[in-house]
Amino acid sequence: MPTIDLARGPAGIADEVRNACEEVGFLTIVGHGVDVQLIGEVASRSRAFFDLPDDEKERFRGPAATPGLPVYRPVGAEKLGANADRKASLDWGPSLEGVGWPSPELRDAYERYYAEMLRVARTLVRSFALALGLAGHALDQLFDDRSSSLRVIDYPAGAGGARAGAH
């Protein structure tokens, strides 16, 4: 799988991005500049949420009704293939409807991480535009900060088999 260093900027990676998308269909990025401590904080705070007793997590299950709040989806809540998926998730985005924040610390970590992911996404979108031969930031108008969301997935130990259907 091609590995592309975002530190070289959109113009510096456009040809590699085009080749990766045309030849392989996937790519791995490095040099994104996201603080490893923030990545670790999101992972540890998410792990702490998924490790809560089921009845505590259920409070955040839904029905999801309020934009800008996270929603918990327990194991088996989704079905991407023939069987219920063996995964749980905590999903959040500014326009995604949810239930509530499990803690202020989780909210802070997710909001900071989301801002970093938007920064990384802008670099990728601009490299895609250049790879397609589009002038300037032509693809930027198709994306906005509110159309994205975060999904942290827990694949519980012992679930066995396929954790999610083909998608």
Side-chain angles (χ1 to χ4, degrees):
M1 179 159 333
T3 298
I4 297 175
D5 186 353
L6 294 187
R8 295 186 327 222
I13 63 172
D15 288 338
E16 288 179 71
V17 166
R18 184 182 59 253
N19 288 336
C21 291
E22 289 176 349
E23 302 297 323
V24 180
F26 294 93
L27 54 94
T28 299
I29 62 168
V30 297
H32 47 69
V34 180
D35 185 343
V36 295
Q37 289 181 325
L38 177 57
I39 294 168
E41 182 180 356
V42 168
S44 65
R45 294 197 184 281
S46 298
R47 176 79 271 140
F49 172 78
F50 288 119
D51 287 344
L52 290 172
D54 289 342
D55 60 332
E56 288 186 47
K57 292 183 287 196
E58 281 293 315
R59 296 186 351 230
F60 303 99
R61 181 176 184 172
T66 306
L69 294 176
V71 62
Y72 169 62
R73 302 183 202 286
V75 173
E78 294 185 326
K79 184 176 178 182
L80 292 172
N83 301 309
D85 293 346
R86 295 181 190 111
K87 68 176 184 344
S89 68
L90 187 61
D91 305 338
W92 172 75
S95 58
L96 184 69
E97 290 187 344
V99 177
W101 286 102
S103 73
E105 296 81 12
L106 184 72
R107 178 181 186 166
D108 176 66
Y110 274 38
E111 287 177 345
R112 288 183 290 127
Y113 187 71
Y114 183 82
E116 285 295 294
M117 292 299 98
L118 289 176
R119 181 185 57 74
V120 170
R122 281 190 293 276
T123 299
L124 288 169
V125 167
R126 289 178 183 148
S127 71
F128 292 149
L130 292 168
L132 293 168
L134 301 175
H137 303 271
L139 289 181
D140 283 354
Q141 62 188 332
L142 301 176
F143 298 90
D144 65 42
D145 292 358
R146 299 193 56 77
S147 63
S148 296
S149 61
L150 293 177
R151 169 170 261 205
V152 178
I153 299 176
D154 179 37
Y155 297 100
R163 302 296 180 95
H167 59 290

